[in-house]
Amino acid sequence: MTATATAALIAGSAAYAQDVPAVETDPAVELASTEGQTAEAPADPTQEIRVTGSRIVRDGYSAPTPVSVISAEEIRSEAPANITDFVNTLPAVRGSGTAATSNGSLSNGAAGINTVNLRNLGAARTLVLFDGQRSVASATTGVVDVNTFPQALIERVEVVTGGASSAYGSDAVSGVVNFILDKNFTGFKMDYEFGITTYGDGQNHKVSATAGQSFADGRGHLLLSGEYFSQNGIQSIDRDWNDGGFFQIDNPAYNAAACSDGNSATPCVPARLIQGGIGTGQFTPGGLISTGAFRGVYFGAIDPATGRATTNQLAFGPTSGQWMVGGDYDITSQGHRSSATLLPAEKRGSLFGRLSYEFADAFKLFGQVSYSYYRGQSYYQQTPTTGVAVQVAASAANGGLINPFLPQAFVDRVSAYNLANPGARVTSVQIGTSNIGIPPQGSDNTREVYRYVVGANGDFGAVGIDWSWDAYYQRGETRTSELLTNAWNLARMAAATDAVAAPAGNVGGYAPGSIVCRINIDANAANDDRSCVPLNRIGVGGMSQEAVNYVLYNGLQPLRDQTLTQDVAAFNLSTNNLFDLWAGPVSIAVGAEWRRETVTGSVDPLFRPVVSAGVTSGTWIYGNYLPTIGAYDVKEAYLETLIPLFEGADLNGAVRVTDYSTSGTVTTWKGGVTWQVIPDIKLRGTISRDIRAPNLGELFAPGVGRTNTVNVPSGGGFRTDQFNESTVGNAALAPEVAKTYGIGVIATPSFVPGLALSVDYFDLQLDGAISSLTAQTLIDQCYIQAIADACTFVSTTGGRGVTTPGLAVTSIEIKPTNFVGIEAKGLDIEASYRRTLGPGNLTLRALASHAISLYTNNGVDVPTEGAGQNSGSLPDWTYRLSAGYDVDGFNAQLVGRGVSGGVYDNSYIVCSTDCPVSTVANRTVNRNDIAGAFYLDFNTSYEFEAGGGKFEAFLSIRNLLDTDPVLVGNGPTGNNTPAYPQTNRALYDVLGRVFRLGMRIRI
């Protein structure tokens, strides 16, 4: 929503919060005068307003960079559980991370963080400010969790959709999101909200209280605020739309040779399939033998009569890697499909205090203290394991001891086979299991943020010039406790799995026939662990709690404690009358800033991976934490000026010089022009050079390991290898550099009073973007394209860089570099209309963003065009439409929001039986369409007075029609894919209809 379109609304909401009368103006006059930038209609028409996007503070001035504004009234009307739920509905905000979408971020500690991502260029390229100041990051990736801000005190949110590094420094590549504090609130207010889905889950409660009081004849002001929020998690995807097995896989029927042999008898089918009826072909809840003589045997529930699992024969459909089309896919998927969290369990609270005092116009002192707490629990998946070795027949290698949990019928079947095939005896099999007896793996993260600010500002005159100044020092500290849940120790899992019946006279002294861990009766005394409890992974329901406790290390779980600190000192000086030119006075703003970012941490040796000869080997299924330790300093200075060119036209220019202790000096700049062509039309244009410096994680990541899977070419097809992905930092990284061009028009036609419209075009070109090749890309380059450099990052059972066919991949190193180029182009359209209708007021708004291009080229992979790919986060069109009516304290609003339809990949070729050869650049696929979606929201409230207070009852219904998300076929890589929603959570609502209701009190 542009400031042009919302100034009237903001003025009303700000007045309501402070219990003072709003300025009564004609909406057409008010909208036209603000010209798209003024964030609040002041009680004093001559009051100067500071708006995000420029350091120049001047009455009536509008910066050339587009600024959208969200008022407190708008936020209240939708009553979001957290403010990002609202911000993320803005069309320019795409691909943001939320607590509900970050449940898979186990090893990087990012689970539970709510970020803002403009243009889908990455949250790290969007600068988030709190009241115009930086805030300490919530993770080493540099992102800020906006839930750490006191939401009850947010007066408005300003969104700059354009480069702003010359004004605010690093990270403002795609724009700035500034959460403005209501520093002058006076009185007392208290809110309570309750939320629940139409399915009766996801219940949450939020309560906040705020008090503000002036003293010393208005020279001093005290502000206090507190908030608490709790939410019951939806810890699995308990929705019918997620049961169809809708995925994207490598087609088992594809044969590249058939695509070029010219033989009609061997038709060429697409290389990828996107459809329902797909599941895994490698594991079942109780164990599946997917290869060899006993392929298809799977173990079911424990038979109470025998205490051993039942055996069954799986009906296979066509398979490729981990996937299977048709067959008993529903049996293989049980327990694993939908095992990820849909909505995390959360508790968060915050306290905020601010004290200010005006000693004189030239010196106003303030201090702020804030604290926020977050704890969130979510689950990643019911983690499957393939290749689990089970001894099924006596041999010299196993000492004649087989797994005693095997059902006797199966042991007898193996014996009969071996008698009939003495030259091909089977003594062990490998099973795949989703480990259904062990609870799902996830995280239980705690995050505390402390922020202290002391500052001063004032206005004074010197040498005939009116000056304004401000300065502040801030220290922010984030303390994270990154704790995993239900992660098993790999060594203990292997020991407990290899169970045997103790023979007579065993070295461990166990009773003959008792089931024990092999390590305690073998000849190697060094591997003994008397606490080892045998784990029955054969069948469903056979795992004892004692054995589960053992592999989960009796409650000891991977834990990393980290502390991120940010110190900032800044000084700014500005004037609006430096000297006069032919068209008016020249404005100037100068300033300097010093900043230090630091991260320290600790990890118990028990939870660390083993690093040897450049190979990182995990010791836990997830986590494998190492502490990130590092720091860098930033020194910078800027100058910005506003020069009137002629009546109605201004030139805005800025330059900033920044020096990083890690990468040296870099310069950013901006030039922009605004021109009021006629009273109804204003033009604006900008060109800027912006940067993003590498964050602490990119610079200093120590090589934390995470468990993942890749598809490795093998025998003409693919096999799925589970490996440890080790991400390391790169101290040689340089800042990313972007150049952004923007041009726009603002129309406030006098012949349609109350109407305001803006259209802006942008073209952002980013060079040297920091990124990493994915593990799958490195595998493809090494094994398919035979790129030797890629193989150096791959470790197998033969060692690092030894990629002999047949050797299992065990570890892949991921390292960021400046090697990506990105170009983003698009249109932003905003319109608003407000008029009196009958006894009340009608307000109409429309916001839309059109993604023309998001072109990415890393010089290694095939370049991609991401615009219009609904498998990602950037549809061709994203929109938000609203219509509101208010009269005599009653307010009702309808909001329509949605995205246009799109494709999976712009490079895909759709075909059926006459396909060309599928290549990495142009894969063939059976379908390449993803439908758009439209969601309708309804909000209503009623204000009334009673007992000397003002009350407001409200109801908000999100997704009023309970529209299911569009199915999106995710895959083909990742063993976690079946556990996740079969849609794109970044674009489509997954909770269904959500109710929020509550009461607000103002005194």
Side-chain angles (χ1 to χ4, degrees):
M1 176 179 185
T2 60
T4 300
T6 60
L9 288 176
I10 297 170
S13 64
Y16 181 80
Q18 298 177 41
D19 197 21
V20 296
V23 180
E24 295 184 2
T25 60
D26 184 283
V29 175
E30 189 174 48
L31 291 170
S33 66
T34 56
E35 298 176 335
Q37 302 303 324
T38 303
E40 178 181 347
D44 179 1
T46 66
Q47 180 179 333
E48 295 174 336
I49 300 299
R50 181 184 298 277
V51 177
T52 307
S54 173
R55 298 283 186 171
I56 300 293
V57 184
R58 188 158 123 185
D59 179 39
Y61 167 62
S62 56
T65 307
V67 180
S68 297
V69 178
I70 307 167
S71 70
E73 180 176 311
E74 292 176 274
I75 298 170
R76 286 199 306 269
S77 69
E78 297 200 17
N82 58 76
I83 196 167
T84 51
D85 285 349
F86 183 96
V87 175
N88 288 337
T89 67
L90 298 178
V93 180
R94 291 291 91 191
S96 300
T98 68
T101 61
S102 60
N103 56 302
S105 302
L106 300 186
S107 298
N108 63 7
I113 293 178
N114 286 265
T115 63
V116 180
N117 183 356
L118 288 170
R119 310 287 191 213
N120 194 38
L121 289 172
R125 298 185 181 104
T126 298
L127 178 61
V128 174
L129 301 176
F130 177 56
D131 210 37
Q133 301 168 355
R134 287 181 180 265
S135 184
V136 62
S138 300
T140 57
T141 55
V143 297
V144 174
D145 184 355
V146 300
N147 276 346
T148 61
F149 300 154
Q151 298 187 30
L153 272 175
I154 293 175
E155 182 179 71
R156 64 187 186 274
V157 182
E158 297 177 353
V159 181
V160 179
T161 51
S165 291
S166 59
Y168 294 102
S170 178
D171 304 338
V173 172
S174 56
V176 179
V177 181
N178 191 4
F179 294 82
I180 306 296
L181 177 68
D182 183 5
K183 296 183 286 291
N184 298 315
F185 175 80
T186 300
F188 176 79
K189 61 180 180 179
M190 186 172 183
D191 300 353
Y192 170 74
E193 300 174 14
F194 171 74
I196 190 171
T197 77
T198 196
Y199 303 99
D201 52 18
Q203 295 185 25
N204 58 74
H205 305 264
K206 183 166 74 172
V207 61
S208 65
T210 301
Q213 179 64 51
S214 297
F215 59 92
D217 296 325
R219 295 195 305 274
H221 196 82
L222 176 64
L223 195 59
L224 299 171
S225 183
E227 179 180 300
Y228 178 77
F229 174 84
S230 66
Q231 176 172 272
N232 295 335
I234 306 175
Q235 300 296 13
S236 64
I237 307 171
D238 186 18
R239 298 293 188 267
D240 291 343
W241 51 261
N242 207 57
D243 294 337
F246 194 84
F247 300 105
Q248 177 178 176
I249 69 169
D250 291 318
N251 189 351
Y254 177 73
N255 184 341
C259 301
S260 57
D261 61 9
N263 186 351
S264 60
T266 56
C268 179
V269 297
R272 290 271 177 93
L273 283 182
I274 301 172
Q275 63 178 57
I278 294 174
T280 180
Q282 292 188 325
F283 55 83
T284 61
L288 167 69
I289 304 173
S290 59
T291 60
F294 300 99
R295 180 177 186 264
V297 172
Y298 72 93
F299 302 99
I302 299 296
D303 184 349
T306 63
R308 296 295 181 263
T310 56
T311 58
N312 306 276
Q313 188 68 32
L314 189 77
F316 277 99
T319 61
S320 175
Q322 67 174 316
W323 300 103
M324 179 174 70
V325 182
D328 287 335
Y329 81 93
D330 203 44
I331 292 175
T332 60
S333 301
Q334 288 175 6
H336 182 234
R337 185 178 63 207
S338 303
S339 59
T341 288
L342 191 64
L343 188 71
E346 293 184 308
K347 293 184 185 296
R348 70 172 190 262
S350 66
L351 295 171
F352 177 88
R354 188 179 196 273
L355 178 64
S356 61
Y357 193 84
E358 180 181 347
F359 291 92
D361 288 343
F363 188 74
K364 305 165 188 175
L365 185 67
F366 72 90
Q368 287 178 193
V369 178
S370 63
Y371 167 79
S372 68
Y373 170 87
Y374 171 87
R375 181 179 180 184
Q377 185 172 52
S378 61
Y379 295 100
Y380 175 46
Q381 67 167 329
Q382 181 69 47
T383 303
T385 311
T386 57
V388 179
V390 178
Q391 304 300 315
V392 297
S395 68
N398 61 33
L401 301 177
I402 67 172
N403 192 302
F405 294 121
L406 288 166
Q408 189 60 46
F410 179 72
V411 174
D412 293 343
R413 180 178 169 183
V414 173
S415 297
Y417 175 86
N418 287 339
L419 284 173
N421 300 274
R425 294 186 75 250
V426 173
T427 60
S428 68
V429 296
Q430 291 188 338
I431 67 170
T433 172
S434 55
N435 300 296
I436 201 64
I438 301 174
Q441 288 61 56
S443 64
D444 189 0
N445 288 350
T446 301
R447 191 175 298 110
E448 295 178 284
V449 178
Y450 302 80
R451 190 169 183 266
Y452 313 93
V453 184
V454 60
N457 58 75
D459 303 300
F460 65 94
V463 295
I465 300 174
D466 297 324
W467 297 94
S468 296
W469 71 277
D470 68 84
Y472 74 93
Y473 170 77
Q474 172 208 289
R475 180 172 178 83
E477 186 173 298
T478 298
R479 302 175 187 173
T480 66
S481 178
E482 301 162 14
L483 176 67
L484 297 194
T485 53
N486 305 322
W488 60 78
N489 179 271
L490 296 177
R492 286 196 168 198
M493 175 63 88
T497 299
D498 194 7
V500 297
N506 63 82
V507 297
Y510 293 100
S514 58
I515 300 178
V516 299
C517 300
R518 185 188 297 272
I519 60 171
N520 289 325
I521 63 166
D522 62 14
N524 182 9
N527 68 3
D528 287 0
D529 179 3
R530 300 292 288 192
S531 67
C532 181
V533 181
L535 181 70
N536 183 4
R537 300 175 80 179
I538 309 299
V540 177
M543 293 184 183
S544 69
Q545 189 60 52
E546 293 78 12
V548 171
N549 291 343
Y550 171 74
V551 300
L552 300 183
Y553 230 99
N554 299 310
L556 291 177
Q557 289 287 284
L559 170 67
R560 175 171 59 184
D561 292 320
Q562 294 209 138
T563 300
L564 297 97
T565 58
Q566 181 188 73
D567 294 278
V568 182
F571 175 80
N572 304 287
L573 179 68
S574 65
T575 178
N576 289 327
N577 62 334
L578 185 65
F579 57 85
D580 286 335
L581 290 178
W582 57 90
V586 172
S587 300
I588 192 172
V590 296
E593 181 176 302
W594 171 85
R595 177 163 49 97
R596 181 174 177 80
E597 304 277 358
T598 306
V599 60
T600 61
S602 63
V603 178
D604 189 283
L606 175 63
F607 307 129
R608 297 187 180 211
V610 175
V611 182
S612 177
V615 178
T616 301
S617 301
T619 55
W620 294 78
I621 186 65
Y622 301 118
N624 297 299
Y625 289 132
L626 289 170
T628 303
I629 299 174
Y632 65 86
D633 297 327
V634 186
K635 299 186 292 290
E636 49 193 336
Y638 75 89
L639 180 148
E640 182 178 4
T641 186
L642 175 69
I643 302 173
L645 301 176
F646 50 86
E647 185 176 356
D650 294 311
L651 171 66
N652 177 223
V655 62
R656 176 179 289 254
V657 178
T658 304
D659 181 70
Y660 291 92
S661 61
T662 53
S663 56
T665 302
V666 64
T667 301
T668 56
W669 49 263
K670 175 187 73 173
V673 175
T674 60
W675 179 27
Q676 189 77 51
V677 183
I678 60 175
D680 293 5
I681 297 177
K682 170 172 273 190
L683 303 179
R684 60 188 176 195
T686 60
I687 178 174
S688 65
R689 185 180 194 265
D690 305 286
I691 63 165
R692 181 184 81 86
N695 56 51
L696 291 167
E698 291 165 335
L699 290 168
F700 307 113
V704 171
R706 61 186 290 260
T707 303
N708 209 335
T709 60
V710 286
N711 291 336
V712 183
S714 177
F718 291 90
R719 70 172 190 268
T720 302
D721 284 357
Q722 184 169 290
F723 72 101
N724 184 81
E725 183 176 298
S726 175
T727 301
V728 299
N730 183 358
L733 289 171
E736 304 173 343
V737 178
K739 187 170 285 186
T740 302
Y741 304 86
I743 187 169
V745 59
I746 305 166
T748 52
S750 56
F751 55 86
V752 186
L755 175 64
L757 171 69
S758 69
V759 180
D760 288 276
Y761 168 82
F762 67 89
D763 183 343
L764 186 154
Q765 300 167 14
L766 181 64
D767 294 322
I770 299 168
S771 187
S772 305
L773 292 176
T774 67
Q776 188 63 56
T777 295
L778 289 169
I779 289 295
D780 292 345
Q781 290 181 346
C782 176
Y783 287 85
I784 299 176
Q785 299 170 261
I787 299 175
D789 286 346
C791 296
T792 64
F793 294 95
V794 179
S795 299
T796 68
T797 50
R800 181 160 183 162
V802 182
T803 55
T804 305
L807 296 179
V809 174
T810 59
S811 179
I812 300 176
E813 183 180 275
I814 307 296
K815 186 175 184 177
T817 54
N818 297 90
F819 73 114
V820 180
I822 301 172
E823 183 170 15
K825 300 178 183 179
L827 286 173
D828 291 326
I829 303 170
E830 306 191 13
S832 66
Y833 179 67
R834 185 184 185 192
R835 61 163 296 170
T836 299
L837 183 66
N841 294 310
L842 172 69
T843 303
L844 305 176
R845 297 198 339 269
L847 297 87
S849 286
H850 174 44
I852 298 173
S853 177
L854 181 59
Y855 180 80
T856 303
N857 185 0
N858 62 19
V860 180
D861 294 321
V862 175
T864 63
E865 174 52 72
Q869 292 185 172
N870 286 29
S871 56
S873 301
L874 198 63
D876 282 328
W877 285 93
T878 307
Y879 57 87
R880 175 187 167 91
L881 314 169
S882 66
Y885 188 77
D886 61 272
V887 57
D888 295 333
F890 172 78
N891 179 276
Q893 182 189 53
L894 280 174
V895 177
R897 53 188 171 84
V899 298
S900 61
V903 299
Y904 283 88
D905 194 298
N906 285 305
S907 69
Y908 281 179
I909 297 173
V910 178
C911 56
S912 55
T913 58
D914 190 19
C915 299
V917 175
S918 182
T919 65
V920 174
N922 296 105
R923 298 188 187 276
T924 55
V925 66
N926 66 319
R927 60 178 295 183
N928 191 25
D929 61 290
I930 302 175
F934 175 80
Y935 299 100
L936 188 66
D937 304 333
F938 173 72
N939 311 304
T940 186
S941 64
Y942 180 69
E943 300 174 15
F944 59 95
E945 296 186 11
K950 293 184 177 181
F951 296 81
E952 181 183 11
F954 63 89
L955 170 67
S956 173
I957 306 176
R958 186 180 175 95
N959 193 357
L960 180 67
L961 304 179
D962 195 25
T963 303
D964 285 343
V966 173
L967 294 181
V968 177
N970 299 310
T973 60
N975 71 352
N976 62 325
T977 301
Y980 273 47
Q982 295 166 34
T983 187
N984 181 355
R985 291 183 290 180
L987 296 184
Y988 303 106
D989 283 17
V990 297
L991 295 181
R993 185 185 297 115
V994 177
F995 300 91
R996 295 195 62 76
L997 67 160
M999 181 72 72
R1000 302 184 179 105
I1001 304 171
R1002 305 289 187 272
I1003 299 175

